[in-house]
Amino acid sequence: MRLRCAVLDDYQGVATTLADWSSLTHEVEVVGFPGHVADEAELVAALADFDIVVTLRERVPFPASVLAALPRLKLLIASGMRNSVIDYAAAREHGVTVCGTESAGTPPVELTWALLLGLARGIVPESANLAAGGPWQTTVGADLHGARLGLLGLGRIGGRVAAVGLAFGMDVVAWSGNLTEERAAEVGAARLATKEELLATSDFVSVHLALGERSRGLIGAAELALLKPTAYLVNTSRSAIVDQAALLAALREGRIAGAGLDVFDIEPLPADDPVRSTPRLLATPHLGYVTEANYRTYYGQAVEDIRAYLAGAPVRRLD
């Protein structure tokens, strides 16, 4: 009997077309799930007959309660080499091997700039007006050249965002709890002493921090109040770093010029979520990692992970 493999959150139905699964045909049956399963009981019921699960990023939590309810599950593969919603101790306890895949840092960099440029030049409203035969030119763009770009986080992704900002002729500054002068100088940015100074003096602020105890809720109502009324905030990192309710209030009240979001407190967003109707907000459905090359890596290496597990020598283990 063949093993059964579930591929979760395959929204575009591309998991089996962007990777070659043929080497597993005789041993593994692959089943894609095009929709998101949010309810824990529904998830357990859906996965009860599967031996292998491929989960996309951190869309679906695998706490101890879920792992305990899936006695048939033996291999859990996460896209990326870090996943905060898998209980690794519980996986070990229940004999579940957890493996990952590589994930490129360039796609979220590119989306960050798509959002930032879209905000600065009013791309969405101007395009909508043009398509609908509406008014000709209704916005006045914000200049990037000479403006200050403030980066919260200057790691692998933040450093690349900084390089693009410098190419636009922006004044790039950065802050994080462990940022050094040497790292800032390495990418051509200036290190600021406090996040408050960065927020108060930047024209564009972009978040590139890992989510942890120090960064959770880092930007709340008090921090948002420091932003200039002409400033823009972009978050393609993790929703919990910025207080979403406080940000939406600032946008509704016109206290900042706009925001670009690719991450949300609940994903996928409920149909009636206030994010969908908030003014001055350019939002995308967590597309930061969603590119052809990244998906080829995710699913191609998922196949490699399964082959290695079946051979008794798991690779890219996370547990």
Side-chain angles (χ1 to χ4, degrees):
M1 180 181 296
R2 290 193 299 170
L3 300 178
R4 302 192 76 216
C5 173
V7 181
L8 301 182
D9 295 299
D10 185 17
Y11 304 123
Q12 301 93 347
V14 297
T16 56
T17 61
L18 291 180
D20 182 4
W21 296 74
S22 61
S23 64
L24 299 173
T25 300
H26 298 298
E27 298 172 276
V28 179
E29 175 192 2
V30 180
V31 179
F33 284 69
H36 181 69
V37 183
D39 180 77
E40 184 172 307
E42 290 180 11
L43 179 68
V44 168
L47 299 181
D49 296 328
F50 287 91
D51 310 275
I52 303 167
V53 171
V54 178
T55 183
L56 184 64
R57 303 301 294 156
E58 296 171 325
R59 301 284 76 75
V60 178
F62 281 86
S65 55
V66 169
L67 293 166
L70 296 174
R72 184 166 164 175
L73 180 63
K74 297 303 176 188
L75 176 62
L76 177 59
I77 300 171
S79 54
M81 292 301 293
R82 179 169 54 192
N83 192 301
S84 64
V85 297
I86 295 174
D87 187 327
Y88 296 107
R92 289 191 295 271
E93 179 183 347
H94 295 287
V96 179
T97 299
V98 184
C99 297
T101 73
E102 296 173 1
S103 183
T106 49
V109 172
E110 294 166 0
L111 187 73
T112 294
W113 280 102
L115 291 172
L116 196 151
L117 288 166
L119 288 166
R121 300 305 298 268
I123 298 298
V124 172
E126 293 290 10
S127 178
N129 280 338
L130 189 67
W136 186 263
Q137 296 184 358
T138 61
T139 62
V140 178
D143 293 285
L144 270 60
H145 185 85
R148 171 165 282 192
L149 172 63
L151 301 176
L152 291 168
L154 202 60
R156 180 178 62 145
I157 293 173
R160 287 173 171 167
V161 172
V164 178
L166 292 169
F168 275 118
M170 302 182 79
D171 170 30
V172 180
V173 298
W175 175 88
S176 74
N178 57 2
L179 179 62
T180 64
E181 296 282 357
E182 292 74 18
R183 170 56 183 167
E186 180 183 329
V187 300
R191 174 185 173 274
L192 298 187
T194 66
K195 68 178 180 183
E196 288 77 13
E197 181 184 1
L198 182 144
L199 293 169
T201 63
S202 295
D203 301 294
F204 298 88
V205 175
S206 192
V207 180
H208 301 288
L209 295 165
L211 180 61
E213 290 310 308
R214 290 193 302 169
S215 63
R216 187 180 297 275
L218 186 74
I219 307 299
E223 288 76 19
L224 290 167
L226 297 173
L227 291 169
K228 302 175 184 179
T230 54
Y232 296 89
L233 173 71
V234 175
N235 186 9
T236 59
S237 183
R238 290 291 182 269
S239 176
I241 296 171
V242 179
D243 184 321
Q244 184 172 287
L247 176 60
L248 297 186
L251 291 168
R252 285 193 296 267
E253 296 164 15
R255 288 187 272 116
I256 61 174
L261 293 181
D262 188 49
V263 288
F264 309 95
D265 290 348
I266 301 173
E267 296 184 9
L269 275 176
D272 60 350
D273 195 287
V275 166
R276 296 181 184 271
S277 58
T278 297
R280 302 178 183 86
L281 177 62
L282 177 56
T284 49
H286 207 151
L287 297 177
Y289 59 89
V290 183
T291 68
E292 181 176 338
N294 234 12
Y295 269 24
R296 288 190 185 280
T297 297
Y298 290 170
Y299 297 121
Q301 292 190 358
V303 173
E304 294 174 3
D305 288 350
I306 295 170
R307 282 205 308 260
Y309 174 81
L310 295 178
V315 295
R316 290 185 284 267
R317 293 190 65 155
L318 303 182
D319 55 347

